[in-house]
Amino acid sequence: MLKQSLSQKLQQSLTTAQIQQIKMLELPTIELETRIMKELEENPALDESFDEDGLEQQDAETDDYGNDADVADLGDYGTEDDIPEYKLQQLYDKNARKEEIPFAANAPSLGEYLMQQLELAPLTDRERLLAPYIIGNINPDGYLYRTVAQLQDDLLFKAGIEANAEELDRLIKRVQRLDPPGVGARDLRECLLIQLQNKKDQPNINVAYLILDKYYDDFVNKRYGRLIRGVEISEGQLSDAIHVITALNPKPGFGLEDRAETNLMQVHPDFVVEEMDGELMVYLTDERMLPPLRVNPHYRQMAEACKTRGRNCSSEQKEALAFARQKVEQARWFISAIEQRRNTLLRTMQAIAHKQESFLKSGEMADLRPMILKDIADVTGFDISTISRVSNSKYVQTNYGIYPLKFFFNEGIAAEDGEEVSTRVVKDALREVIEAEDGLRPLSDSELVGLLAERGYPVARRTVAKYRNELGIPTARMRKKI
């Protein structure tokens, strides 16, 4: 006999509209603009409207639709009293000042740049057939990350081309003679050797080449005594050779990679923070870039007719009216989602600006305050996950440069005076101490602890090691110079 029982289970699920709205919240301004253009193309019930009547109609429809259960509740937006120091100003003037950072919009990617050079090279038809497969496997830093054997397998299984190792190796060497110097190398050692091959025959160059070619492990591990004995050179000659090597480019492709991603991150901030009359003003850049939206009047009338005419329609008419109603509902949801996104982003940035007011006014790292996601969530009333989504891939333009929102989120430590300081400030101090050290006698982590304590930052040795690793600074032995 089956045993029956009752149980309660709390389960939270998101509707499709809520999931889409959450995704929209994560979009940077440029991607949002693309998303709006796509929606305008796909939904005939959604229109651009730059006239005041259309905007008033849009606001009324957004208010009516904003209470729909399918619209994601991203938290209460609170009142202006939560941040009394601010004048919450919004930019609706399409002619408002907009600063743009120039960039090379049509700059070729690294692969395109290499192919352009090969087009002018005297290659056989066979080599022109194989070259794109080699260049296509060069990463943005300029390194060829596939071995010859792997390239052979790729060509055979993906393109049906049989290639022998000799011809591929010969073609790789041809690619390695292209600009920028060092491109197409399989590892750092080969990259540096290629660059030295392109330089004039000078004594320092020859010594540097010999060190990398025959004594690479000793050089990497800074075993200078073994280098001097093995290469049979003086300390002065070794110092000159090391200076030549350190001047080489370890990432020859850097700066030539496809701009499609970097443009989104560098040239279009999502927020602008300015100081006016001693107060910080927070603006959303999309208010000056994105088109105002409204529901198409014709489709709105059709949607209303779907409610009133009811059974007095033919099946074809019912189908058409149902289609119109569906598109109108999608348009209204989309307009509401854009508005909620705007309110959420603006409210979050205002809270961040209030918390980091000193830094935004001075630009000094020492004024950066410790701040975590929960701090902003408590002020805005939003969930921590919402704050995380807002800060992801968003940038703010200030009087002292453009910063990712994630820059402002950092933990803190207690200084000697009892005041909590940002870990970024401590890391900045650590970097300054190391940069000022004697290269012949680099400071150990224990010595760094003492120097930081003198500056008022009492941290443990393991904390210094952790911060040093996060800054990409090697140990004292690896920092030693001759």
Side-chain angles (χ1 to χ4, degrees):
M1 181 176 179
L2 295 176
K3 184 178 180 180
Q4 295 181 340
S5 63
L6 295 175
S7 63
Q8 288 183 330
K9 182 179 181 182
L10 182 62
Q11 184 175 1
Q12 183 179 14
S13 60
L14 297 176
T15 65
T16 302
Q18 289 174 327
I19 294 173
Q20 290 176 345
Q21 189 171 4
I22 289 172
K23 291 181 178 180
M24 189 176 297
L25 186 64
E26 298 173 340
L27 295 178
T29 298
I30 294 302
E31 292 186 24
L32 177 64
E33 188 176 8
T34 303
R35 175 74 173 85
I36 291 177
M37 293 300 107
K38 180 181 178 182
E39 191 71 18
L40 285 168
E41 292 177 1
E42 295 179 351
N43 190 348
L46 186 66
D47 278 350
E48 294 184 54
S49 174
F50 292 94
D51 60 282
E52 295 182 1
D53 293 339
L55 289 176
E56 292 174 359
Q57 180 66 37
Q58 167 198 327
D59 294 338
E61 290 166 349
T62 302
D63 293 340
D64 292 340
Y65 193 69
N67 295 325
D68 195 292
D70 286 340
V71 177
D73 182 8
L74 298 178
D76 296 328
Y77 296 119
T79 65
E80 295 181 7
D81 295 334
D82 292 338
I83 308 179
E85 291 83 1
Y86 278 95
K87 295 178 181 178
L88 305 183
Q89 178 175 335
Q90 302 173 355
L91 294 185
Y92 291 106
D93 182 6
K94 293 298 176 181
N95 297 320
R97 175 175 62 84
K98 175 184 175 183
E99 296 181 4
E100 292 187 353
I101 302 174
F103 64 96
N106 296 320
S109 67
L110 175 61
E112 293 171 341
Y113 181 56
L114 296 176
M115 289 303 299
Q116 289 172 3
Q117 297 178 66
L118 284 182
E119 288 177 0
L120 304 176
L123 301 179
T124 65
D125 292 340
R126 173 73 172 179
E127 290 173 330
R128 294 190 186 280
L129 175 65
L130 298 177
Y133 292 93
I134 294 176
I135 292 177
N137 283 288
I138 295 178
N139 68 19
D141 287 336
Y143 288 89
L144 179 63
Y145 65 91
R146 303 286 282 177
T147 65
V148 170
Q150 289 173 330
L151 287 173
Q152 286 180 287
D153 292 340
D154 292 344
L155 286 166
L156 181 61
F157 291 108
K158 295 181 181 179
I161 299 175
E162 291 188 22
N164 59 61
E166 291 75 16
E167 64 177 336
L168 286 177
D169 192 61
R170 185 168 57 251
L171 189 54
I172 290 172
K173 287 183 170 55
R174 180 67 185 84
V175 171
Q176 290 174 347
R177 293 199 296 270
L178 300 176
D179 185 67
V183 72
R186 269 67 65 93
D187 52 41
L188 177 60
R189 173 175 171 274
E190 185 178 27
C191 175
L192 299 178
L193 287 173
I194 292 171
Q195 294 179 58
L196 290 177
Q197 288 173 347
N198 294 335
K199 294 182 178 291
K200 295 181 179 180
D201 189 14
Q202 299 175 0
N204 291 342
I205 302 296
N206 292 337
V207 172
Y209 189 94
L210 180 61
I211 289 173
L212 293 178
D213 188 35
K214 302 296 184 183
Y215 301 92
Y216 183 73
D217 288 341
D218 290 331
F219 169 75
V220 170
N221 292 286
K222 296 196 173 185
R223 295 191 283 259
Y224 295 138
R226 295 180 61 175
L227 283 175
I228 291 173
R229 294 189 297 272
V231 186
E232 298 181 349
I233 54 177
S234 65
E235 280 193 10
Q237 290 174 309
L238 177 59
S239 178
D240 292 340
I242 291 176
H243 179 73
V244 169
I245 295 173
T246 54
L248 301 174
N249 186 3
K251 296 182 178 181
F254 184 77
L256 288 173
E257 68 272 20
D258 192 354
R259 278 9 182 231
E261 295 181 1
T262 55
N263 283 344
L264 292 176
M265 296 188 293
Q266 295 178 4
V267 301
H268 293 287
D270 302 270
F271 306 93
V272 176
V273 175
E274 296 179 333
E275 184 179 0
M276 297 178 61
D277 299 327
E279 296 188 28
L280 293 178
M281 312 302 292
V282 179
Y283 311 130
L284 268 172
T285 57
D286 62 13
E287 291 180 347
R288 297 176 285 185
M289 299 173 60
L290 304 178
L293 303 173
R294 70 167 184 177
V295 177
N296 182 287
H298 176 66
Y299 271 81
R300 187 172 61 250
Q301 292 172 4
M302 292 179 64
E304 293 172 355
C306 183
K307 297 179 182 179
T308 58
R309 297 176 63 179
R311 299 177 181 177
N312 298 326
C313 299
S314 64
S315 59
E316 292 79 5
Q317 290 175 324
K318 287 182 180 179
E319 185 176 347
L321 293 176
F323 172 81
R325 183 180 181 183
Q326 179 188 17
K327 292 301 180 183
V328 167
E329 288 178 351
Q330 290 178 359
R332 285 175 174 167
W333 169 85
F334 191 79
I335 293 171
S336 176
I338 294 294
E339 179 63 16
Q340 284 211 25
R341 177 189 183 276
R342 186 192 69 81
N343 289 336
T344 303
L345 264 62
L346 184 61
R347 189 68 185 170
T348 300
M349 188 64 238
Q350 287 167 347
I352 293 173
H354 176 62
K355 182 76 171 179
Q356 302 292 357
E357 182 175 3
S358 297
F359 172 79
L360 292 170
K361 287 183 176 180
S362 69
E364 297 292 336
M365 185 66 69
D367 291 329
L368 189 67
R369 297 181 58 186
M371 186 179 75
I372 59 177
L373 295 174
K374 186 178 183 300
D375 296 333
I376 303 304
D378 291 342
V379 173
T380 59
F382 300 144
D383 189 83
I384 292 179
S385 62
T386 299
I387 304 301
S388 177
R389 291 186 178 97
V390 171
S391 62
N392 185 39
S393 303
K394 305 292 191 310
Y395 287 75
V396 57
Q397 177 178 315
T398 72
N399 292 335
Y400 303 97
I402 295 180
Y403 298 92
L405 258 61
K406 289 184 177 180
F407 168 82
F408 298 100
F409 292 94
N410 57 93
E411 296 181 350
I413 65 169
E416 284 188 347
D417 57 4
E419 183 179 353
E420 194 175 17
V421 297
S422 167
T423 55
R424 291 188 184 275
V425 176
V426 181
K427 290 180 182 179
D428 196 51
L430 177 62
R431 183 188 289 107
E432 290 179 2
V433 170
I434 293 177
E435 289 177 351
E437 71 182 0
D438 182 0
L440 299 177
R441 187 189 172 282
L443 300 168
S444 66
D445 288 348
S446 297
E447 291 171 321
L448 291 173
V449 168
L451 292 174
L452 288 176
E454 292 178 4
R455 295 194 175 199
Y457 307 130
V459 293
R461 188 187 65 80
R462 63 179 179 274
T463 304
V464 169
K466 173 186 174 183
Y467 289 172
R468 179 175 50 73
N469 290 330
E470 290 176 353
L471 291 170
I473 299 175
T475 60
R477 184 176 70 83
M478 298 303 293
R479 299 198 305 272
K480 187 176 180 179
K481 300 178 182 178
I482 63 168

